[in-house]
Amino acid sequence: DQQVKQNSPSLSVQEGRISILNCDYTNSMFDYFLWYKKYPAEGPTFLISISSIKDKNEDGRFTVFLNKSAKHLSLHIVPSQPGDSAVYFCAASDSNTGNQFYFGTGTSLTVIP
Amino acid sequence: ETGVTQSPTHLIKTRGQQVTLRCSSQSGHNTVSWYQQALGQGPQFIFQYYREEENGRGNFPPRFSGLQFPNYSSELNVNALELDDSALYLCASSPRLTGSSYEQYFGPGTRLTVT
């Protein structure tokens, strides 16, 4: 039962353009969402998070948008850089239980110089 | 500040054997979670330890067990290894438990191959 889904396994974007990575979830109790970036042979690195009391959180080139009614979140990277090429995972949790994060299957982003 | 470390980096075991993986949490973090990441999949939650007690478990059989020590480091033990246990095992630490939102910080993982 995949409660967090990333339906695009891969995405290619030209350097300098916007990258948009999407994530859908099914559990309405999820109230905390994170994006992680993963390079080969490394563990996931925390990128940005958003609580369900917000619909947008911005950190430099990275912005996460949350649409609770659609159970959808997205990560925008502007402008995209070749160093952003990695696998991106979204994750969700119910902070009332707090102890389990559900991850999507990841989207492999390639930024073309 | 030292990050999350895991050992060993790689491990090859035979079906039926037992394995122990180790994790040192980030300084100041009292909560450790373990995840299994199969090829092409996202990390799957195995269990979490908080102050040496198991606090939450995913859909994994009892042959997956763990420990957390007073210094908050942790072990993952897997008995009776099966071929499907071949995966990247990730440890993540965090500073708080329930009732608040927090991010988890991951180690580099242990690549386990069962033959």
Side-chain angles (χ1 to χ4, degrees):
Chain A
D1 178 24
Q2 192 73 25
Q3 298 192 50
V4 178
K5 298 179 183 178
Q6 294 176 257
N7 293 318
S8 298
S10 62
L11 175 68
S12 291
V13 171
Q14 206 72 32
E15 181 179 3
R17 306 294 292 269
I18 184 172
S19 294
I20 300 176
L21 296 93
N22 294 304
C23 180
D24 297 292
Y25 62 96
T26 58
N27 189 338
S28 59
M29 296 303 293
F30 288 155
D31 60 359
Y32 188 57
F33 306 88
L34 307 93
W35 284 93
Y36 282 88
K37 175 178 171 180
K38 188 178 186 300
Y39 293 116
E42 294 184 12
T45 302
F46 169 73
L47 199 55
I48 192 168
S49 64
I50 188 167
S51 165
S52 60
I53 62 173
K54 295 184 176 181
D55 55 17
K56 176 182 173 182
N57 189 27
E58 190 172 355
D59 184 2
R61 297 185 297 114
F62 302 91
T63 303
V64 56
F65 294 92
L66 175 63
N67 183 333
K68 290 184 289 293
S69 60
K71 295 191 181 67
H72 177 84
L73 65 156
S74 61
L75 174 68
H76 293 208
I77 306 174
V78 183
S80 300
Q81 299 174 354
D84 296 330
S85 297
V87 177
Y88 289 79
F89 292 98
C90 67
S93 75
D94 173 357
S95 64
N96 292 311
T97 59
N99 58 10
Q100 182 167 353
F101 280 82
Y102 295 84
F103 281 79
T105 52
T107 296
S108 179
L109 173 65
T110 302
V111 180
I112 304 164
Chain B
E1 185 178 79
T2 306
V4 179
T5 60
Q6 293 186 243
S7 63
T9 306
H10 297 89
L11 202 52
I12 299 175
K13 288 286 189 177
T14 303
R15 190 171 51 184
Q17 287 187 314
Q18 178 267 343
V19 69
T20 298
L21 311 181
R22 294 178 175 83
C23 170
S24 292
S25 61
Q26 187 164 319
S27 176
H29 289 186
N30 56 18
T31 304
V32 173
S33 301
W34 286 92
Y35 292 83
Q36 179 195 68
Q37 186 179 10
L39 202 62
Q41 300 296 315
Q44 298 286 317
F45 177 75
I46 302 175
F47 44 55
Q48 183 180 82
Y49 278 83
Y50 171 64
R51 293 186 176 178
E52 304 176 57
E53 297 284 333
E54 184 180 293
N55 183 78
R57 188 179 184 91
N59 189 26
F60 281 82
R63 59 189 185 84
F64 285 78
S65 63
L67 283 173
Q68 187 180 32
F69 301 99
N71 66 354
Y72 303 131
S73 65
S74 178
E75 286 182 354
L76 164 65
N77 299 290
V78 187
N79 293 321
L81 283 166
E82 301 177 359
L83 297 178
D84 284 348
D85 296 333
S86 295
L88 180 68
Y89 288 85
L90 294 162
C91 167
S93 73
S94 53
R96 292 180 295 277
L97 186 58
T98 59
S100 59
S101 302
Y102 56 92
E103 57 269 15
Q104 295 183 339
Y105 295 87
F106 283 85
T110 294
R111 173 71 62 186
L112 172 65
T113 302
V114 182
T115 61

